[in-house]
Amino acid sequence: GNSVTQMQGQVTLSEEEFLFINCTYSTTGYPTLFWYVQYPGEGPQLLLKVTTANNKGSSRGFEATYDKGTTSFHLQKASVQESDSAVYYCVLGDSNYNVLYFGSGTKLTVEP
Amino acid sequence: NAGVIQTPRHKVTGKGQEATLWCEPISGHSAVFWYRQTIVQGLEFLTYFRNQAPIDDSGMPKERFSAQMPNQSHSTLKIQSTQPQDSAVYLCASSLDPGQDTQYFGPGTRLLVL
């Protein structure tokens, strides 16, 4: 079946520090991997999509890649800002993108 | 573009009552998805429709939960005889084409069953 494991439940950083969040996935098909971000009182919104292993997706200063060999994917940002504080989800799309499988989320708090 | 609209934003019901949640997808989107979000289980898929037809309801609880899409402009999720464990945020998402496009989420309906 399809599943995503996201181990970091909470990350606290100071502004301008480096962010790295890692997930592992399991699927029997060809994965499409996403990162969604959720702000309080809102639904999740797409941050990045990565469709090809070892290729980078990037948006708003965030970068994401995945490694098919280790079935892992990660999100990074060189210098976080207080406005980046939110919950970040690694998400696996099934082979037809019909269903999204969410990780448990990483709550990022960026302190000024 | 108003985005996905969900009503009500908050709903409180007594145990055993019925709850109906509404979703209006983005105009022109052919696919509608329902998810449930709780602290314990996280974000879980419930069901989805394509061009108003039910395609996959593998995440729906077998009893008391049902979903419909009577027209292209709205979908409903109905929970009969609500139980405290049904308390959650119910999220609706739509996409232009389920195989090719991003899912856009609404703000959710927070259901509290007392």
Side-chain angles (χ1 to χ4, degrees):
Chain A
N2 296 309
S3 66
V4 179
T5 301
Q6 188 170 359
M7 297 302 294
Q8 298 155 281
Q10 204 153 336
V11 172
T12 301
L13 298 172
S14 299
E15 279 194 320
E16 299 184 7
E17 285 194 311
F18 174 71
L19 171 69
F20 183 89
I21 304 173
N22 191 56
C23 291
T24 58
Y25 68 91
S26 173
T27 181
T28 55
Y30 295 96
T32 295
L33 299 164
F34 305 85
W35 286 93
Y36 274 74
V37 58
Q38 186 174 27
Y39 300 96
E42 299 181 11
Q45 55 183 268
L46 179 68
L47 177 61
L48 283 170
K49 180 169 75 172
V50 184
T51 56
T52 306
N54 302 319
N55 279 4
K56 282 185 182 178
S58 62
S59 173
R60 300 188 238 168
F62 290 88
E63 288 186 341
T65 58
Y66 84 89
D67 184 329
K68 195 175 179 181
T70 59
T71 62
S72 65
F73 62 124
H74 71 263
L75 178 72
Q76 65 182 56
K77 187 176 185 183
S79 176
V80 294
Q81 302 301 311
E82 193 175 357
S83 57
D84 294 327
S85 296
V87 179
Y88 292 82
Y89 293 94
C90 45
V91 182
L92 169 68
D94 76 1
S95 54
N96 291 316
Y97 312 166
N98 293 342
V99 175
L100 298 180
Y101 298 90
F102 283 76
S104 53
T106 297
K107 183 177 181 180
L108 171 66
T109 302
V110 180
E111 297 173 338
Chain B
N1 189 338
V4 175
I5 298 172
Q6 290 190 249
T7 54
R9 291 293 309 276
H10 302 273
K11 186 172 183 65
V12 180
T13 66
K15 182 179 174 180
Q17 292 184 328
E18 182 178 286
T20 299
L21 313 180
W22 293 69
C23 170
E24 181 179 329
I26 294 172
S27 177
H29 282 196
S30 65
V32 170
F33 304 80
W34 284 95
Y35 294 83
R36 176 169 62 181
Q37 185 172 29
T38 62
I39 292 174
V40 173
Q41 298 293 332
L43 251 155
E44 305 172 288
F45 165 77
L46 295 176
T47 186
Y48 105 88
F49 297 83
R50 178 192 291 174
N51 295 322
Q52 299 172 234
I55 302 298
D56 184 346
D57 67 353
S58 58
M60 289 279 273
K62 298 306 177 191
E63 297 179 352
R64 302 185 294 105
F65 282 67
S66 63
Q68 294 182 331
M69 191 162 185
N71 57 59
Q72 64 184 7
S73 64
H74 88 272
S75 174
T76 58
L77 179 68
K78 184 179 291 186
I79 309 171
Q80 295 178 311
S81 185
T82 54
Q83 303 297 309
Q85 61 265 31
D86 299 331
S87 298
V89 176
Y90 290 85
L91 292 158
C92 176
S94 70
S95 70
L96 189 62
D97 176 340
Q100 300 293 329
D101 204 8
T102 304
Q103 291 185 24
Y104 295 86
F105 283 80
T109 294
R110 183 176 295 275
L111 175 67
L112 176 62
V113 182
L114 300 176

